Amino acid sequence: MISFEMTEEQTLVRDSMREFAAAEIRKRARSADEESAVPAELLATTWSLGLTSTQLPEAFGGAGEARSCVTNAIVLEELAHGDAALAIAALSPSLFANAILDHGSEAQKKAHLPRFAGARFVTGSLAVCEPAPLADGSRPRCIAEAKNGTYVLSGRKSLVAMGDRATHFLVTAREGSELGAYIVPRDAVGLTVGPLEKNMGLRALPTTSLLLERVELPAESKLGEAGGANVQAVLDASRVALAAVMLGVSRAVLEYCVPYAKDRVAFDEAIAKKQAIAFRLADMHIEQHAMRQLVWRAASLLEHGLDATRAAWQARCYAAEKSMWIADNGVQVLGGHGFIREHPVEMWFRHARTLGVAEGLVAL
Amino acid sequence: MIDFRPTATDEAMLARLHAEALICRRHARAFDEREAEMIPDVLPEAAAFEAEAKANPLPKPGPDDTPPAVMMMLQTMAAYWGDYSVRLRRSTSGGLGNAALMAAGTEAQKAKWGQLLLSMAITEPGCGSDPSRVSTTAVLDEQTNEWILNGEKIFVTTGIRADGVVLWATLDKSAGRAGIKSFLVVKGTPGFDVPHKEKKLGIRADDTAAYVFRDCRIPRENLLGGDESIPKQSSGGFRGVMKTFNMTRPLTAAMGLGIAEAALDATREALTEAGVELDWATGPGGMGRLSAAAERFMRLETLFEASKWTVLQCAWMAGKGLPNNLESSVSKAHAGSAVRQITQGCIEILGAMGISREHLFEKWMRDSRITDIYEGTGEIQRLIIARGLLDYTRDDLK
Ligand SMILES: Cc1cc2nc3c(=O)[nH]c(=O)nc-3n(C[C@H](O)[C@H](O)[C@H](O)COP(=O)(O)OP(=O)(O)OC[C@H]3O[C@@H](n4cnc5c(N)ncnc54)[C@H](O)[C@@H]3O)c2cc1C
């Protein structure tokens, strides 16, 4: 049945995340961006909220609460409304944990999930992007060769979220013509984690490259083990999650511009009274509203275990195009002030462009 | 629960409508080319189709199926997927004027005129977007208890077929919006003329008409709602009529989207035949691997989905009784520009085949162009949205 009704729980979660983002995330966003560092106390606080652990089954030390992709999309929108980089950093444990939970073998779950139910922040990561033109998450150049009961991985990855501290990487690679994902511990022989990357946006989010030089892994490293896993579904979920983040950024821009435009006077009246500005605000509203429908639709399909590849493409593409447009116009609404780092719109402008080309940074 | 899955019952209903739409589509071109003709109320295929439908009844929708307000949008899209105007059996009720009657009429008026097909005439040669400038006048003749109407209306949808019209006229031009009232005028009333059917870019089979009123006398009780007073401050009566837009705007959007979907489906077929692959697994970095036609098409399809679900969300709110004033403008504005881009884009993808009158692509582009114009242009929707966002009045932003 088609319905847009949020559950009571979703409304509660949305409201509490909105409050949390306003109180804890937004205020740290600018300095974190300037320092290119994620504040440790924020990770500790978000960890204590149990964003990852509550959704892990009790058997692995979690709270065993039902996981809803739609609810998680709502959480992402709200946290990213505070700040996209910090939201992604805070939710990074889910990046690795959810992939294992959804697609791992029982042994893999037992080996890796309890880590995420502990008292202190730990994180793993997903390595999808590659530092080459036309690099496509669904067609990695990184290769995995099956050899005498082991897998040998070779290739390069980039934009690996929390690469500086992840204990494990889930690395996507091509095995013959098949798309696979492989669990690579940080200390694997042949793996070099690069220095922190310098990106235009999401500066507070630590990202690194990975160099895999014939990294030899035991057979049980392949996600889903011998049978493999639907890695495209992992990518789909991460694309929808990124779209939810872009949605949060878009709403942040709109909500910043509205009071600004009512307050700022030019030619004897508020600039918001000029149609050129007012219509731009209307379009920002229209587009972020439409974006939300696509995000929820893809998340809802994922939640019910349906094929969401097309819906995820659409949600991600639309969010990438429109969030960039919204952020771009947000800068324009503020004029010269939009260009100055005193206001957050220039940061959101950099975030939007970065998010629109990224992959694998965040999960649902 | 937020859920985007239609049920089997929903889908069976929509599949039936799509089958019906395809029959209508066979006649689409002919009636586009023969604009002066009125399209038939019943197509020759109707009886056979209906007999078969009767033999295979659809499952009855229940409480677990998609709510009626949302289904209404999907059903509209399915009907317009065939053609904008041609129907297997055209409805003889439910004109735009009927919506106004239901929203603003008294019980007695609804009972008296509810069975008629009513058009709605607001637009005049001198005013469209700003209906507060309506200049058609209504003057009360106290002796005979009649209103005397004088003025000209244009672009009246279903204007030829309609049995009557809900007409906007002013009691007092100096009172602005507050002086405007709706009147019901039945066809055949002396002084009410229908001089011509308009000649249009698209939806040519639609009978859009011009109306002229010359000393046209109607009974005093034909004022909709019955309130003859002119309020000093508020625009109460005006508001009442504006409220009907909260369902008609998403409906107008759904009509245009039905056509856009037809264009997308036919373009997809043509692309598949040409061997163009639509690889939805492609990631952000891999876009460059897609062919230009594939990427263009996939983005248009994305735009369609964004618009469709925005319309459904708006209708869902209406069905729940939630205020959806802003959402109805959002859905109309979004669809208005989406259908322009989609139908024009499909032609660009297809090239010469797209503009040939052998195919329907060019017709779809002409037909869907109306979506961003009537029921409030895209600009007017943006005004409404901006006022809502900024908490501005009509005087703050116009
Ligand atoms: C096929 C068809 C069927 C129709 N059916 C009906 C019907 O059944 N009943 C009926 O009453 N009317 C009907 N209309 C009329 C329709 O609603 C009007 O054409 C429409 O509202 C626009 O008015 P207008 O044509 O006078 O354009 P104008 O108001 O002259 O507008 C011209 C341009 O100026 C823009 N504009 C106007 N005001 C503003 C503003 N404040 N800010 C920014 N831009 C502005 C408009 O968006 C538009 O782009 C129909 C029209 C057509 C073509």
Side-chain angles (χ1 to χ4, degrees):
Chain A
M1 166 170 90
I2 297 170
S3 168
F4 296 81
E5 181 116 60
M6 285 171 85
T7 60
E8 211 167 299
E9 193 211 331
Q10 283 168 340
T11 315
L12 277 172
V13 168
R14 181 197 60 192
D15 293 348
S16 64
M17 287 297 131
R18 188 169 290 183
E19 239 169 76
F20 178 78
E24 300 293 333
I25 298 187
R26 179 68 68 84
K27 70 172 186 205
R28 294 186 168 93
R30 174 54 80 182
S31 62
D33 186 76
E34 297 283 330
E35 287 156 22
S36 291
V38 51
E41 83 271 10
L42 180 73
L43 294 182
T45 316
T46 49
W47 184 259
S48 68
L49 292 178
L51 295 175
T52 302
S53 64
T54 48
Q55 298 182 1
L56 292 179
E58 284 167 15
F60 306 117
E65 282 178 18
R67 177 160 141 250
S68 153
C69 292
V70 175
T71 308
N72 289 347
I74 292 169
V75 168
L76 272 171
E77 177 187 340
E78 295 307 330
L79 296 183
H81 183 266
D83 183 65
L86 300 181
I88 292 172
L91 284 165
S92 63
S94 298
L95 201 50
F96 183 85
N98 288 358
I100 300 287
L101 181 61
D102 289 344
H103 304 280
S105 66
E106 278 313 303
Q108 288 169 337
K109 290 182 197 176
K110 218 178 254 161
H112 294 284
L113 292 181
R115 234 188 357 264
F116 295 95
R120 280 200 4 256
F121 180 91
V122 288
T123 193
S125 192
L126 183 63
V128 176
C129 288
E130 298 183 352
L134 303 194
D136 183 344
S138 64
R139 298 185 186 209
R141 291 175 199 196
C142 205
I143 52 169
E145 295 164 88
K147 213 170 202 177
N148 310 328
T150 66
Y151 292 100
V152 180
L153 259 62
S154 316
R156 285 172 187 278
K157 294 286 173 181
S158 65
L159 208 65
V160 178
M162 308 297 263
D164 61 333
R165 65 197 80 184
T167 61
H168 294 75
F169 302 96
L170 189 62
V171 177
T172 58
R174 193 159 41 81
E175 188 186 330
S177 62
E178 250 171 67
L179 176 63
Y182 305 83
I183 301 165
V184 182
R186 186 177 193 91
D187 58 6
V189 178
L191 171 69
T192 312
V193 179
L196 285 177
E197 291 170 332
K198 295 178 176 172
N199 299 319
M200 171 177 70
L202 306 179
R203 290 171 69 151
L205 176 72
T207 70
T208 66
S209 61
L210 300 182
L211 173 62
L212 299 122
E213 293 172 300
R214 300 197 63 76
V215 177
E216 200 172 314
L217 302 166
E220 60 269 25
S221 305
K222 182 175 176 178
L223 185 65
E225 298 203 45
N230 182 358
V231 177
Q232 183 61 44
V234 177
L235 296 181
D236 292 342
S238 106
R239 288 172 187 174
V240 179
L242 267 169
V245 171
M246 295 189 260
L247 172 57
V249 173
S250 303
R251 215 183 80 222
V253 174
L254 171 66
E255 289 176 7
Y256 195 82
C257 287
V258 165
Y260 186 89
K262 283 184 78 167
D263 199 47
R264 179 73 180 172
V265 172
F267 300 96
D268 306 325
E269 61 178 4
I271 56 169
K273 293 195 173 176
K274 318 275 180 201
Q275 281 195 357
I277 300 293
F279 281 16
R280 215 170 281 208
L281 297 173
D283 276 317
M284 289 180 182
H285 176 80
I286 293 168
E287 295 304 352
Q288 61 90 35
H289 182 85
M291 212 187 288
R292 186 170 300 102
Q293 312 313 317
L294 288 184
V295 168
W296 284 9
R297 162 174 168 257
S300 154
L301 296 182
L302 284 166
E303 180 165 318
H304 292 104
L306 299 169
D307 180 0
T309 299
R310 176 170 162 272
W313 193 97
Q314 296 182 336
R316 196 209 66 78
C317 251
Y318 199 79
E321 184 182 327
K322 300 305 179 184
S323 65
M324 190 66 250
W325 184 88
I326 289 171
D328 187 37
N329 280 283
V331 171
Q332 199 66 17
V333 167
L334 269 74
H337 297 270
F339 201 77
I340 303 297
R341 300 221 298 278
E342 207 174 296
H343 290 282
V345 285
E346 65 78 30
M347 182 170 70
W348 293 329
F349 172 76
R350 291 182 285 112
H351 281 357
R353 184 63 288 168
T354 307
L355 290 162
V357 299
E359 219 179 338
L361 290 181
V362 63
L364 268 193
Chain B
M1 185 181 71
I2 294 168
D3 193 344
F4 287 69
R5 296 168 303 165
T7 65
T9 303
D10 298 342
E11 281 181 340
M13 150 97 77
L14 296 174
R16 175 72 53 85
L17 286 170
H18 276 125
E20 186 177 331
L22 278 181
I23 298 174
C24 302
R25 199 185 284 180
R26 287 187 216 144
H27 301 270
R29 173 59 70 187
F31 291 112
D32 179 66
E33 303 266 330
R34 303 204 300 266
E35 185 174 22
E37 254 173 61
M38 286 292 285
I39 53 177
D41 284 336
V42 184
L43 290 184
E45 295 94 331
F49 185 87
E50 284 159 1
E52 201 183 316
K54 209 166 166 197
N56 302 290
L58 291 170
K60 276 236 165 355
D64 292 334
D65 293 306
T66 295
V70 177
M71 274 311 277
M72 187 176 174
M73 297 300 151
L74 290 170
Q75 288 164 293
T76 301
M77 283 177 56
Y80 283 72
W81 184 75
D83 186 57
Y84 207 93
S85 320
V86 181
R87 294 290 172 271
L88 203 56
R89 202 179 278 282
R90 280 209 301 190
S91 145
T92 50
S93 61
L96 287 169
N98 294 82
L101 173 67
M102 291 325 277
T106 63
E107 289 311 315
Q109 290 173 333
K110 288 184 206 174
K112 185 166 177 197
W113 297 311
Q115 300 312 309
L116 303 180
L117 173 62
L118 299 174
S119 61
M120 178 96 199
I122 303 171
T123 306
E124 299 179 355
C127 86
S129 296
D130 180 6
S132 68
R133 291 171 48 88
V134 157
S135 69
T136 296
T137 54
V139 178
L140 186 64
D141 182 342
E142 304 261 8
Q143 310 277 285
T144 61
N145 266 338
E146 286 173 324
W147 296 103
I148 308 170
L149 306 170
N150 275 293
E152 227 179 291
K153 295 286 175 183
I154 53 171
F155 307 168
V156 185
T157 296
T158 61
I160 310 265
R161 284 194 301 139
D163 306 307
V165 57
V166 172
L167 167 85
W168 281 27
T170 176
L171 302 189
D172 176 5
K173 269 189 209 166
S174 68
R177 291 148 66 87
I180 296 172
K181 302 282 178 187
S182 324
F183 298 87
L184 198 133
V185 194
V186 183
K187 285 260 183 78
T189 308
F192 174 10
D193 286 326
V194 184
H196 63 265
K197 179 178 167 185
E198 311 276 11
K199 293 180 181 157
K200 307 190 295 291
L201 166 71
I203 60 169
R204 291 184 178 166
D206 252 41
D207 52 316
T208 314
Y211 285 172
V212 174
F213 299 89
R214 269 189 223 97
D215 290 329
C216 174
R217 289 173 167 269
I218 56 168
R220 187 165 185 170
E221 59 270 18
N222 284 23
L223 187 153
L224 230 56
D227 179 10
E228 295 175 4
S229 68
I230 298 174
K232 279 273 162 311
Q233 290 291 321
S234 90
S235 50
F238 204 83
R239 277 250 163 82
V241 182
M242 287 300 183
K243 223 167 60 190
T244 61
F245 286 140
N246 292 0
M247 201 61 185
T248 55
R249 283 186 172 146
L251 261 180
T252 312
M255 295 172 188
L257 287 172
I259 298 190
E261 189 170 25
L264 285 169
D265 289 345
T267 303
R268 189 186 306 104
E269 228 169 80
L271 287 179
T272 307
E273 213 168 281
V276 175
E277 196 205 347
L278 307 177
D279 182 1
W280 296 102
T282 310
M287 294 298 208
R289 284 190 310 96
L290 292 169
S291 76
E295 192 199 343
R296 185 85 202 276
F297 180 82
M298 289 160 80
R299 285 187 188 274
L300 292 178
E301 198 178 301
T302 301
L303 187 57
F304 168 79
E305 294 289 346
S307 211
K308 168 181 162 181
W309 294 101
T310 298
V311 166
L312 298 186
Q313 194 269 349
C314 173
W316 177 83
M317 289 184 80
K320 281 263 155 188
L322 299 167
N324 70 339
N325 185 40
L326 198 65
E327 286 76 11
S328 62
S329 283
V330 166
S331 65
K332 170 75 165 57
H334 193 283
S337 68
V339 302
R340 289 162 65 179
Q341 293 175 60
I342 291 166
T343 55
Q344 293 164 28
C346 283
I347 291 181
E348 191 181 346
I349 290 170
L350 295 170
M353 174 187 176
I355 52 143
S356 163
R357 271 153 62 205
E358 294 282 312
H359 300 283
L360 288 170
F361 299 102
E362 64 84 30
K363 179 177 184 308
W364 288 327
M365 171 178 146
R366 288 185 287 112
D367 286 353
S368 64
R369 190 62 185 82
I370 191 62
T371 310
D372 212 19
I373 297 174
Y374 66 7
E375 290 283 311
T377 61
E379 288 75 18
I380 298 305
Q381 307 305 335
R382 282 168 178 82
L383 268 183
I384 295 168
I385 295 163
R387 283 182 201 143
L389 285 179
L390 293 158
D391 199 16
Y392 273 175
T393 63
R394 193 171 180 275
D395 288 328
D396 291 328
L397 186 67
K398 58 187 176 196

